Amino acid sequence: MELFRLRLPNRVNLLRVARAAARAAGEEFRFPEKTTGGMELVVEEAASNVLRHAYSPNEEAYYYVSASLEGDALVFRVQDKGMPMDSFDLPQYDPLNPDSKGLGTYLMKTYCDGFRYLNLGKEGKAFEFLFHLPREGIGYTAEPVQTGQEPMHITDKDMVIRPFLDEDAPQVARCVYQAYRYSYLRDFLYIPEQLIRVNRSGEIRSIVAVLADGSVIGHIALMMGQNRRIAESGQAFVSPLVRGAGIYKRLKQAAIDYGTQWGLDGYYALTVTVHPYTQKVNLEFGARESGIHLSYSPAGTQFEGIKGKVTQRIPVVIFYGAFHEECMRRIFVPPHHRAMITRIYENLNIPVEVSDSEPVDQDYNNERTVFDFKVNQNGARAYVHIRAPGRDLSREMRNLLRLFHDQGIELVLAELPLGHPSVAIATANLEALGFFFSGVLPHGFEESDALCLQYLRIPELRTDNITIYSPFSRELLDYMLREAKGRVTVINEEKEGEGV
């Protein structure tokens, strides 16, 4: 939620306006005096950097200073449309050498809880500074929204579950608002015209629970990916007015029934770890765990009536459910992940012939990487679909990571084909860049299952806030945390700041 946005001329005498706005925001959210002074300093330093470097001498231009709330943090942004800069070439100040360059950036990073540089393309560039709200500040901003409605008691005869119709779209928007307010990442669910469009195009297939008066009280969707025979089961929500009536389970069963009728092979479900309910339901319906993305959903997602706003990025457990018996397939695996990948297939009850791929493959050395990628800006995550790894994989991925860094992406998921004999060397190349194990995705490619690796740009992970339902999910989580050694700092109730 944006609090204010100032448009300031690039004149030194107006720096005091930016400082005053930063101080006022800090005082409004009850930050201590020392922190409020730090807010003034970082905003002034970033604005001064704009005045010194963004524009030519005597050039008349403007820059922007804004503040917003993101989850439990107050975030300041200083943005300009002046000369681009290389975020990877920021000078590193050495406190032991007062003459070294980069003091301004060093001070900006020192006085805030989080620092981001954003390359915004045609919109210029920005520095962002994050300050975690004090406890009293969080209480001040987190007043609940009242629906003005009493909980309803629903029986089977009161509703029908069926495929989505165009006229359901406004009611779906009302239902997702009741469940998540405006924190749900899929914007089109709030916009009836867009929800109608994606259903008509076949990008998703929505299923709704509807009362006799036309009110939508629940929604689930099968979302089609690159392999059109596999869908992701998601965008599932139930109005908090009818929770506890078993509607989510009925929606889940309907999605399975319709998916079978539509000729699909199976489905994925990404279940949040804020609560155990969706994990438990997927197990009840026969789906099984195949991986975990440790930092999937951004902080600030609000679970109305369950958890409130979540203040860290949310891990998700990946479940896979087959609509019919799976056939035998041959896969190549990196030797150091062979045991875990074998365990995953056993858990999924999918027969496989497992072969160690060659550490060096001649075809790999002679091929260019064939890949595509997409970015989910709202979720601050990116997906890289590597159809054929080649000798330029490291270079191509390094370029992508740089691009994603400038866009503020916090999670990168890379998929490799387990049917490709060079998966071992491709995995080694990606792990050398900081990727680590995330799981297996059956039918991730048209002709092959996928090995999924993840790359995180989060500084820490609070495991005491993660709810894991099953023993196998715990086994997966423990394995990934071991594989993430040196890349993630784990914090839990028993031992603060434990590096893994």
Side-chain angles (χ1 to χ4, degrees):
M1 178 177 69
E2 189 169 75
L3 303 174
F4 68 78
R5 180 177 173 85
L6 303 176
R7 181 174 181 262
L8 297 174
N10 58 334
R11 298 175 184 172
V12 175
N13 62 320
L14 292 177
L15 284 174
R16 58 193 179 94
V17 176
R19 290 200 311 267
R23 171 167 284 277
E27 292 175 347
E28 180 70 13
F29 291 97
R30 304 174 187 173
F31 282 91
E33 172 61 29
K34 181 179 179 181
T35 307
T36 304
M39 294 174 182
E40 283 191 277
L41 186 149
V42 298
V43 169
E44 179 181 14
E45 185 60 39
S48 297
N49 185 74
V50 171
L51 299 181
R52 290 193 301 266
H53 305 297
Y55 300 105
S56 302
N58 302 320
E59 180 181 0
E60 293 187 3
Y62 294 88
Y63 67 99
Y64 302 89
V65 177
S66 61
S68 61
L69 290 178
E70 293 184 10
D72 68 339
L74 175 62
V75 179
F76 293 98
R77 171 185 282 201
V78 178
Q79 179 180 345
D80 70 84
K81 291 188 178 181
M83 180 68 68
M85 63 180 293
D86 187 350
S87 61
F88 283 80
D89 195 31
L90 291 175
Q92 300 298 315
Y93 178 74
D94 181 2
L96 300 179
N97 181 10
D99 294 328
S100 60
K101 296 181 179 181
L103 176 59
T105 305
Y106 175 79
L107 291 175
M108 288 189 286
K109 292 181 178 180
T110 300
Y111 280 90
C112 62
D113 296 319
F115 172 88
R116 295 187 292 227
Y117 170 77
L118 303 177
N119 185 333
L120 304 174
K122 291 182 179 180
E123 295 303 311
K125 61 185 184 295
F127 287 105
E128 287 189 342
F129 312 98
L130 180 149
F131 294 84
H132 292 303
L133 293 172
R135 185 174 300 276
E136 57 269 27
I138 295 175
Y140 175 78
T141 62
E143 296 180 3
V145 179
Q146 302 297 326
T147 64
Q149 296 176 266
E150 295 295 324
M152 297 181 290
H153 298 285
I154 300 296
T155 63
D156 289 350
K157 66 180 181 180
D158 296 321
M159 68 173 179
V160 61
I161 294 180
R162 56 165 172 74
F164 169 88
L165 301 175
D166 289 356
E167 55 264 32
D168 298 325
Q171 289 295 326
V172 171
R174 292 174 179 269
C175 185
V176 69
Y177 173 80
Q178 290 177 340
Y180 290 95
R181 297 303 184 254
Y182 283 116
S183 69
Y184 202 73
L185 294 178
R186 303 284 186 168
D187 287 352
F188 66 82
L189 290 165
Y190 298 100
I191 306 172
E193 295 81 4
Q194 291 190 17
L195 181 59
I196 292 170
R197 178 187 63 77
V198 295
N199 269 278
R200 286 183 177 179
S201 70
E203 296 173 51
I204 73 170
R205 297 182 177 185
S206 292
I207 300 162
V208 291
V210 185
L211 298 179
D213 64 359
S215 299
V216 172
I217 55 174
H219 174 277
I220 195 169
L222 292 176
M223 298 166 283
M224 310 308 296
Q226 292 196 11
N227 184 350
R228 303 294 287 183
R229 297 186 61 81
I230 297 295
E232 179 187 338
S233 171
Q235 297 170 20
F237 47 86
V238 173
S239 169
L241 301 175
V242 295
R243 284 194 183 134
I247 295 172
Y248 173 70
K249 288 186 178 181
R250 291 196 58 187
L251 284 167
K252 188 72 174 181
Q253 184 61 61
I256 293 173
D257 293 342
Y258 283 116
T260 303
Q261 292 178 26
W262 294 332
L264 301 180
D265 289 329
Y267 70 94
Y268 292 101
L270 305 181
T271 63
V272 297
T273 54
V274 171
H275 55 72
Y277 311 128
T278 52
Q279 298 174 53
K280 182 178 179 181
V281 169
N282 275 280
L283 287 168
E284 290 178 0
F285 280 94
R288 292 295 180 265
E289 310 92 319
S290 71
I292 298 177
H293 300 328
L294 288 182
S295 185
Y296 191 78
S297 297
T301 304
Q302 183 169 339
F303 294 80
E304 191 68 21
I306 298 177
K307 187 77 172 182
K309 285 188 178 180
V310 180
T311 58
Q312 71 164 31
R313 289 187 67 87
I314 304 168
V316 295
V317 180
I318 309 165
F319 282 81
Y320 175 73
F323 290 145
H324 52 72
E325 186 175 350
E326 293 277 353
C327 62
M328 170 76 73
R329 74 278 310 264
R330 184 188 183 193
I331 61 172
F332 298 91
V333 299
H336 59 297
H337 293 311
R338 180 185 182 115
M340 176 50 71
I341 292 174
T342 301
R343 287 277 295 122
I344 290 173
Y345 276 101
E346 290 173 349
N347 184 59
L348 295 172
N349 196 29
I350 295 177
V352 290
E353 177 187 341
V354 181
S355 301
D356 290 339
S357 62
E358 296 296 328
V360 177
D361 183 82
Q362 188 62 35
D363 289 339
Y364 183 90
N365 288 330
N366 291 331
E367 291 179 356
R368 296 188 62 183
T369 300
V370 180
F371 69 96
D372 55 71
F373 69 89
K374 63 179 180 178
V375 173
N376 182 317
Q377 201 67 56
N378 288 336
R381 59 181 177 263
Y383 308 82
V384 185
H385 199 66
I386 304 168
R387 296 193 295 275
R391 60 185 178 183
D392 60 348
L393 175 61
S394 293
R395 183 178 71 251
E396 293 287 359
M397 187 60 72
R398 191 177 292 109
N399 291 336
L400 283 178
L401 289 177
R402 181 169 180 161
L403 171 67
F404 297 150
H405 177 278
D406 286 347
Q407 294 182 347
I409 298 303
E410 297 179 349
L411 169 68
V412 181
L413 297 170
E415 297 173 3
L416 292 166
L418 283 169
H420 199 288
S422 297
V423 68
I425 187 172
T427 299
N429 286 341
L430 293 182
E431 289 179 338
L433 295 175
F435 284 85
F436 60 95
F437 188 84
S438 187
V440 169
L441 305 175
H443 304 286
F445 295 84
E446 289 286 351
E447 304 297 333
S448 170
D449 296 345
L451 170 64
C452 192
L453 304 175
Q454 55 190 326
Y455 178 95
L456 277 60
R457 286 187 59 233
I458 58 173
E460 63 185 33
L461 180 71
R462 293 202 65 94
T463 56
D464 52 303
N465 290 332
I466 299 176
T467 301
I468 294 294
Y469 180 74
S470 74
F472 189 72
S473 292
R474 170 56 59 182
E475 183 179 341
L476 277 172
L477 178 61
D478 291 343
Y479 183 82
M480 289 172 194
L481 293 179
R482 290 194 300 270
E483 290 296 311
K485 186 176 182 180
R487 301 179 178 95
V488 180
T489 298
V490 173
I491 297 178
N492 54 52
E493 291 179 341
E494 291 78 23
K495 187 173 182 180
E496 293 290 321
E498 179 183 356
V500 301

